Amino acid sequence: MKAVFWLFKKIWQSITLLRNLILNIFVLLLVVAIISSILSQPELKQADKEGALVLAPTGYLVDQKSYQASPMELLGERENMEIETSVTELIELIQAAKNNQKVKGIVLNLNYLYGGGLSKLEEIGQAIESFKQTGKPVIAVSGNYSQQQYYLASYADEIYLNELGTVFLTGYGTYRNYLKDAADKLSIDVNVFRVGQYKDAIEPFIRNDMSEASREHNQLWVSQLWQRYTKKVESLRGLNDGDLDQYIIDMPASIESAKLSAAQYALEKKLVDMVATQREVGNKLIEKFGTSKHSDSFAYVSAAEIQQHVKLSKQLSSDPKVGLIVAQGAIYDGYHGDDVIGSDSFSELLEIARNDDELSALVIRVDSPGGSAFASEVIRQDILELRERGLPVYISMGSVAASGGYWMATAGDEIWATPSTITGSIGVFGIMPNFTRAFSKLGISTDGVGTTPLSDAFRPDRTLSPEAKSILQSGVENIYSKFLSIVAESRNQSPEHIHQIAQGRVWSGENALELGLIDNLGSLQDVLAHAASEQGLNTFTVKTIRRPLTPSEQFMMALMQEAQTATTKLFDSSIQISNIPGLQRLNESAELTILRENSKKAQAGLQVYAQCIECVTP
């Protein structure tokens, strides 16, 4: 028996040794490749193939990726890895392809795009329209088209839809769950403190339905965004005014009475140009772009190769620099990652910009519904200090720059927004739940001693005293007054005038311009060009300022890049739409993102917030 055990032990040790040896050899080869890459002199090379540039935006469109490096990418795992696509990187690819003779057109593979908001889709569409001026075709392909996928597809010269697919349009809406009855049944009392008739983020805790004030201002911006959506799509597709609304209204009856498939209905209404199988779509793309020399697919140009070309061009450029800092996510105190705006971590980015002598100007891209009023003010003060030291600062609003997001934006020399940006929400609220009645029903009581009448003020198991309520409400009102003063000073208006358009009301970018809350309308690319022009720059390069990576993060990223370079060659280049080669996928699940965000909110503690919770961008 001992001999059998000894033999089994030796076999297992041998297997472990072999596994470790193979893994070490793999890592060693990657390290050698990385060192070789670092030591080699970078040089610009044109793509070695001709054909269509395939763009496959995956997951959600963001201004800056917030993923964390994962060892799984080293193993070439691709399924469900990328949940974010950088709008800036996508636009840079389109711009680079515009003047690249190897690129004969663009194929938009929209199968994996979840969304990201009308504002970001419009910015990408602007780049596509510029690309189309070269006469090169743009083709959109997908098995199905969601509302956001279809908006981007409408910029293409032709739209191909799978025979089993559909173009599913619904219009825009904003809906929330209301919890008052549930709170009453659970004997939970919710203490609410707010300023602003339209600051409706707290309504779900004190009502069972939407108030008339909330219904009024939400209906306004939702309708404006939908009107903008339909007007643009109808113009691009050569449709009549109202055709998209009619498409939605008539779809159920038309499909049932005419026995049409959803795909044929979309074709009949001219929303798409071809309904076909995957193979038929592949053959159509071969007709347009020729056959690839390396497979039976249509001829295509590697997006990763062009992306590397863009990166090297920036590194080797001697043009003056315009800095870019992305501020995305909710605003909290302290240090946070790339998907949250931390007051301390963001201040460090501003410090990097302050000490960078290469920068002629700085653009801050704000995509935030707000958050901590204190953190927003800390960031605003740091931006003002940056301007006082002579660096011009321009604000570019993304999909949402509301409440605390607008608070910090007021510090810029100029504020720009896209027409569909959601902004405003100038108001303040605080919420403190109390579980005294719920605990009492469970037979739990709380008692003790304190040194003052406010010793138990922030205990959720003690009834909030009138004195504490008064203090908290006064604090909210003081912060609102401060908010009004900040906006009034920034916009050269009186606090009384700002109050009339504030009170928590949400506005579209177009309305914000009319009301004087912003200076101009334009995309991020427009703001960057304007910032350069204001400094007298004929040419410039954008220098993105990000949180410095730790040595371990740098090593992991370098390993991933080398692994991706190797695995890219193994891409399946068949003509199936689902396998069209596109942008590299990265690692992080949507569930992980949600859990991480909720964890950060839980850690935020008791705060007074300038946040626009209702600003869920369509």
Side-chain angles (χ1 to χ4, degrees), residues 162 276-286 296 575-577:
N162 187 274
T277 64
Q278 289 182 342
R279 181 165 296 278
E280 289 170 339
V281 170
N283 290 336
K284 188 70 174 179
L285 294 176
I286 288 175
D296 294 332
I575 58 176
Q576 292 187 353
I577 299 304

PDB file of all heavy atoms in Angstrom, residues 162 276-286 296 575-577:
ATOM      1  N   ASN A 162     -30.392  40.153 -40.783  1.00  0.00           N
ATOM      2  CA  ASN A 162     -30.606  38.719 -40.916  1.00  0.00           C
ATOM      3  C   ASN A 162     -32.087  38.432 -41.123  1.00  0.00           C
ATOM      4  O   ASN A 162     -32.945  39.131 -40.587  1.00  0.00           O
ATOM      5  CB  ASN A 162     -30.097  37.998 -39.669  1.00  0.00           C
ATOM      6  CG  ASN A 162     -30.129  36.497 -39.811  1.00  0.00           C
ATOM      7  OD1 ASN A 162     -31.140  35.858 -39.549  1.00  0.00           O
ATOM      8  ND2 ASN A 162     -29.009  35.931 -40.233  1.00  0.00           N
ATOM      9  N   ALA A 276     -31.212  38.962 -45.401  1.00  0.00           N
ATOM     10  CA  ALA A 276     -30.481  37.830 -45.977  1.00  0.00           C
ATOM     11  C   ALA A 276     -29.930  36.938 -44.869  1.00  0.00           C
ATOM     12  O   ALA A 276     -29.925  37.298 -43.691  1.00  0.00           O
ATOM     13  CB  ALA A 276     -29.327  38.340 -46.840  1.00  0.00           C
ATOM     14  N   THR A 277     -29.459  35.773 -45.275  1.00  0.00           N
ATOM     15  CA  THR A 277     -28.764  34.880 -44.361  1.00  0.00           C
ATOM     16  C   THR A 277     -27.344  35.389 -44.144  1.00  0.00           C
ATOM     17  O   THR A 277     -26.865  36.274 -44.862  1.00  0.00           O
ATOM     18  CB  THR A 277     -28.695  33.459 -44.936  1.00  0.00           C
ATOM     19  OG1 THR A 277     -27.912  33.480 -46.139  1.00  0.00           O
ATOM     20  CG2 THR A 277     -30.087  32.934 -45.254  1.00  0.00           C
ATOM     21  N   GLN A 278     -26.646  34.797 -43.187  1.00  0.00           N
ATOM     22  CA  GLN A 278     -25.264  35.192 -42.931  1.00  0.00           C
ATOM     23  C   GLN A 278     -24.398  34.969 -44.166  1.00  0.00           C
ATOM     24  O   GLN A 278     -23.569  35.815 -44.505  1.00  0.00           O
ATOM     25  CB  GLN A 278     -24.709  34.385 -41.752  1.00  0.00           C
ATOM     26  CG  GLN A 278     -25.302  34.773 -40.415  1.00  0.00           C
ATOM     27  CD  GLN A 278     -24.686  33.996 -39.268  1.00  0.00           C
ATOM     28  OE1 GLN A 278     -24.073  32.956 -39.475  1.00  0.00           O
ATOM     29  NE2 GLN A 278     -24.837  34.492 -38.060  1.00  0.00           N
ATOM     30  N   ARG A 279     -24.585  33.839 -44.832  1.00  0.00           N
ATOM     31  CA  ARG A 279     -23.762  33.548 -46.009  1.00  0.00           C
ATOM     32  C   ARG A 279     -24.042  34.543 -47.125  1.00  0.00           C
ATOM     33  O   ARG A 279     -23.117  34.997 -47.811  1.00  0.00           O
ATOM     34  CB  ARG A 279     -24.015  32.114 -46.489  1.00  0.00           C
ATOM     35  CG  ARG A 279     -23.168  31.719 -47.695  1.00  0.00           C
ATOM     36  CD  ARG A 279     -23.156  30.230 -47.906  1.00  0.00           C
ATOM     37  NE  ARG A 279     -22.523  29.544 -46.784  1.00  0.00           N
ATOM     38  CZ  ARG A 279     -21.205  29.411 -46.662  1.00  0.00           C
ATOM     39  NH1 ARG A 279     -20.390  29.927 -47.584  1.00  0.00           N
ATOM     40  NH2 ARG A 279     -20.694  28.772 -45.644  1.00  0.00           N
ATOM     41  N   GLU A 280     -25.317  34.901 -47.311  1.00  0.00           N
ATOM     42  CA  GLU A 280     -25.660  35.869 -48.358  1.00  0.00           C
ATOM     43  C   GLU A 280     -25.053  37.240 -48.051  1.00  0.00           C
ATOM     44  O   GLU A 280     -24.572  37.929 -48.961  1.00  0.00           O
ATOM     45  CB  GLU A 280     -27.183  35.973 -48.492  1.00  0.00           C
ATOM     46  CG  GLU A 280     -27.821  34.740 -49.114  1.00  0.00           C
ATOM     47  CD  GLU A 280     -29.331  34.751 -49.011  1.00  0.00           C
ATOM     48  OE1 GLU A 280     -29.876  35.475 -48.149  1.00  0.00           O
ATOM     49  OE2 GLU A 280     -29.977  34.020 -49.796  1.00  0.00           O
ATOM     50  N   VAL A 281     -25.056  37.622 -46.767  1.00  0.00           N
ATOM     51  CA  VAL A 281     -24.426  38.889 -46.385  1.00  0.00           C
ATOM     52  C   VAL A 281     -22.927  38.819 -46.648  1.00  0.00           C
ATOM     53  O   VAL A 281     -22.320  39.757 -47.182  1.00  0.00           O
ATOM     54  CB  VAL A 281     -24.697  39.208 -44.895  1.00  0.00           C
ATOM     55  CG1 VAL A 281     -23.839  40.384 -44.441  1.00  0.00           C
ATOM     56  CG2 VAL A 281     -26.171  39.519 -44.676  1.00  0.00           C
ATOM     57  N   GLY A 282     -22.305  37.682 -46.305  1.00  0.00           N
ATOM     58  CA  GLY A 282     -20.881  37.518 -46.555  1.00  0.00           C
ATOM     59  C   GLY A 282     -20.543  37.621 -48.029  1.00  0.00           C
ATOM     60  O   GLY A 282     -19.566  38.273 -48.413  1.00  0.00           O
ATOM     61  N   ASN A 283     -21.363  36.993 -48.869  1.00  0.00           N
ATOM     62  CA  ASN A 283     -21.132  37.063 -50.316  1.00  0.00           C
ATOM     63  C   ASN A 283     -21.297  38.492 -50.839  1.00  0.00           C
ATOM     64  O   ASN A 283     -20.573  38.920 -51.751  1.00  0.00           O
ATOM     65  CB  ASN A 283     -22.089  36.128 -51.050  1.00  0.00           C
ATOM     66  CG  ASN A 283     -21.762  34.665 -50.801  1.00  0.00           C
ATOM     67  OD1 ASN A 283     -20.623  34.325 -50.481  1.00  0.00           O
ATOM     68  ND2 ASN A 283     -22.754  33.795 -50.924  1.00  0.00           N
ATOM     69  N   LYS A 284     -22.241  39.225 -50.272  1.00  0.00           N
ATOM     70  CA  LYS A 284     -22.456  40.618 -50.679  1.00  0.00           C
ATOM     71  C   LYS A 284     -21.230  41.467 -50.331  1.00  0.00           C
ATOM     72  O   LYS A 284     -20.811  42.332 -51.125  1.00  0.00           O
ATOM     73  CB  LYS A 284     -23.696  41.173 -49.971  1.00  0.00           C
ATOM     74  CG  LYS A 284     -24.130  42.546 -50.462  1.00  0.00           C
ATOM     75  CD  LYS A 284     -24.703  42.490 -51.873  1.00  0.00           C
ATOM     76  CE  LYS A 284     -25.274  43.831 -52.289  1.00  0.00           C
ATOM     77  NZ  LYS A 284     -25.808  43.803 -53.673  1.00  0.00           N
ATOM     78  N   LEU A 285     -20.646  41.205 -49.166  1.00  0.00           N
ATOM     79  CA  LEU A 285     -19.457  41.951 -48.757  1.00  0.00           C
ATOM     80  C   LEU A 285     -18.259  41.586 -49.637  1.00  0.00           C
ATOM     81  O   LEU A 285     -17.401  42.433 -49.913  1.00  0.00           O
ATOM     82  CB  LEU A 285     -19.146  41.687 -47.289  1.00  0.00           C
ATOM     83  CG  LEU A 285     -20.194  42.209 -46.277  1.00  0.00           C
ATOM     84  CD1 LEU A 285     -19.828  41.801 -44.860  1.00  0.00           C
ATOM     85  CD2 LEU A 285     -20.349  43.717 -46.370  1.00  0.00           C
ATOM     86  N   ILE A 286     -18.195  40.342 -50.067  1.00  0.00           N
ATOM     87  CA  ILE A 286     -17.131  39.941 -50.991  1.00  0.00           C
ATOM     88  C   ILE A 286     -17.272  40.681 -52.317  1.00  0.00           C
ATOM     89  O   ILE A 286     -16.286  41.118 -52.925  1.00  0.00           O
ATOM     90  CB  ILE A 286     -17.167  38.409 -51.210  1.00  0.00           C
ATOM     91  CG1 ILE A 286     -16.679  37.705 -49.945  1.00  0.00           C
ATOM     92  CG2 ILE A 286     -16.297  38.004 -52.399  1.00  0.00           C
ATOM     93  CD1 ILE A 286     -16.777  36.193 -49.998  1.00  0.00           C
ATOM     94  N   ASP A 296     -11.599  32.680 -46.888  1.00  0.00           N
ATOM     95  CA  ASP A 296     -12.717  32.781 -47.825  1.00  0.00           C
ATOM     96  C   ASP A 296     -13.626  33.963 -47.514  1.00  0.00           C
ATOM     97  O   ASP A 296     -14.667  34.129 -48.141  1.00  0.00           O
ATOM     98  CB  ASP A 296     -13.541  31.487 -47.786  1.00  0.00           C
ATOM     99  CG  ASP A 296     -12.755  30.288 -48.312  1.00  0.00           C
ATOM    100  OD1 ASP A 296     -11.859  30.509 -49.151  1.00  0.00           O
ATOM    101  OD2 ASP A 296     -13.038  29.162 -47.872  1.00  0.00           O
ATOM    102  N   ILE A 575     -17.046  34.095 -43.038  1.00  0.00           N
ATOM    103  CA  ILE A 575     -17.973  35.130 -43.475  1.00  0.00           C
ATOM    104  C   ILE A 575     -19.180  35.240 -42.555  1.00  0.00           C
ATOM    105  O   ILE A 575     -20.057  36.062 -42.781  1.00  0.00           O
ATOM    106  CB  ILE A 575     -18.466  34.866 -44.916  1.00  0.00           C
ATOM    107  CG1 ILE A 575     -19.147  33.489 -45.002  1.00  0.00           C
ATOM    108  CG2 ILE A 575     -17.342  34.953 -45.911  1.00  0.00           C
ATOM    109  CD1 ILE A 575     -19.748  33.196 -46.354  1.00  0.00           C
ATOM    110  N   GLN A 576     -19.251  34.420 -41.497  1.00  0.00           N
ATOM    111  CA  GLN A 576     -20.356  34.550 -40.579  1.00  0.00           C
ATOM    112  C   GLN A 576     -20.280  35.895 -39.865  1.00  0.00           C
ATOM    113  O   GLN A 576     -19.220  36.295 -39.403  1.00  0.00           O
ATOM    114  CB  GLN A 576     -20.321  33.425 -39.534  1.00  0.00           C
ATOM    115  CG  GLN A 576     -20.596  32.049 -40.134  1.00  0.00           C
ATOM    116  CD  GLN A 576     -20.716  31.003 -39.058  1.00  0.00           C
ATOM    117  OE1 GLN A 576     -20.468  31.278 -37.881  1.00  0.00           O
ATOM    118  NE2 GLN A 576     -21.105  29.816 -39.449  1.00  0.00           N
ATOM    119  N   ILE A 577     -21.413  36.529 -39.803  1.00  0.00           N
ATOM    120  CA  ILE A 577     -21.454  37.863 -39.204  1.00  0.00           C
ATOM    121  C   ILE A 577     -20.954  37.820 -37.766  1.00  0.00           C
ATOM    122  O   ILE A 577     -20.243  38.699 -37.305  1.00  0.00           O
ATOM    123  CB  ILE A 577     -22.894  38.415 -39.238  1.00  0.00           C
ATOM    124  CG1 ILE A 577     -23.376  38.538 -40.688  1.00  0.00           C
ATOM    125  CG2 ILE A 577     -22.963  39.774 -38.552  1.00  0.00           C
ATOM    126  CD1 ILE A 577     -22.502  39.372 -41.559  1.00  0.00           C
TER     127      ILE A 577
END
